[in-house]
Amino acid sequence: MANPSLLILAGDGIGPEVMGQVTRIIDWFGAKRDLPFDVEHDLVGGAAYDKHGTPLHDDTMARALEVDAVLLGAVGGPKYDDLDFSVKPERGLLRLRKEMDLFSNLRPAQCFDALADFSSLKPELVAGLDIMIVRELTSGVYFGEPRGIIEEGNERVGINTQRYTESEIDRVARSAFELARRRGNKVCSMEKANVMESGILWREVVQKVHDEDYPDVELSHMYADNGAMQLVRAPKQFDVIVTDNLFGDILSDCAAMLTGSLGMLPSASLGAPNADGRPKAMYEPVHGSAPDITGQGKANPIACILSFAMALRYSFDQGEEATRLEKAVEKVLADGARTADLMGPEGGTPISTTEMGDLILGALDASL
């Protein structure tokens, strides 16, 4: 059988630095666990613009559609702030999501016990936290038409359209329910049905999918503004949260900071299953390109490493190996290893990006 294929798009800023540690871990699984991958590397974002004049070359897009999964680092930086909107680095990322039809964005918020003190909330509220936000990714207000800035009378008007079809809501709801069955079997759907027609439709469709096909999963509904409040009041009441593109963007960043650092958080963007049962998929850390620390060896590679763990679980049916990698990360943190973003007020000497990779590889070796 052919090896599973990965396309690595390291991107900009700290992307290549953190992805370098992921590549070492991919090699470890091939050498130590007889789990080899066929890996290709290409450009996206600002790096692609510098070479091709576009944030995503057509050939790269075509290859992303062919491989089993894409691993992405981060895109963007101040160097590209003055570019036309159509060629900004982020447009490459959005094109990947749109053309791969990655409609279900999975963003876990997990707080390792060793890092509970780093959260902005009291440790007892976040210790052991393990929730998953499922964000619809390819529709809603970010893609709806009409959109733009127009002249109306003697002033300009900005227009964006919140638009959802039943089928778009149906498929992301199913994604959330399927995921919940493998976790705590509980879904909370968040929208604004009290003031938005799209929210009314969202609630009706999610309820219908539940009643017809997932009655075994506990379902609740919550207005998204209350959901934001509840995330910082009592986050462990949730297991899986499913919501639209705009609210998912906001709520997942809110949940991210419950864990103490964006450098800890992975994500997965999944599409419909292919003929082989694997979904189109892209995995990326939640953090940005961090141009202020680029090239200094300060970046935390854990979010990118945990994104690969998600790839093992959701693209390659290697749940045990994903858990092995996650436990290796947990062991290293429990032993006190900290990159600069994880340093507490007591101070200390942070380790480098490469040193964190070394320690995680050591913990993997110890797991054999």
Side-chain angles (χ1 to χ4, degrees), residues 6-12 14-20 22-23 26 39-45 47-48 55-57 59-65 67 69-75 92-93 95-97 100 281-285 304:
L6 289 168
L7 175 62
I8 291 181
L9 305 174
D12 307 320
I14 63 170
E17 298 173 59
V18 296
M19 196 61 78
V22 177
T23 301
I26 293 170
V39 179
E40 302 174 56
H41 296 261
D42 211 332
L43 303 175
V44 70
L56 187 70
H57 194 278
D59 291 345
T60 310
M61 184 69 248
R63 192 64 189 126
L65 291 168
V67 296
V70 175
L71 299 182
L72 186 139
V75 298
L93 172 59
R95 183 183 176 191
L96 284 163
R97 290 173 176 172
M100 294 175 72
M282 181 166 66
Y283 301 89
E284 58 182 304
C304 209

Side-chain angles (χ1 to χ4, degrees), residues 62 88 103 134 234 292 330:
K88 283 185 178 292
F103 61 85
V134 179
D292 56 317
E330 187 173 10

Side-chain angles (χ1 to χ4, degrees), residues 192-210:
K192 285 289 288 179
N194 54 336
V195 292
M196 298 172 66
E197 284 78 5
S198 61
I200 294 172
L201 181 65
W202 183 281
R203 182 173 293 213
E204 290 176 352
V205 173
V206 171
Q207 188 67 54
K208 181 173 183 287
V209 170
H210 170 267

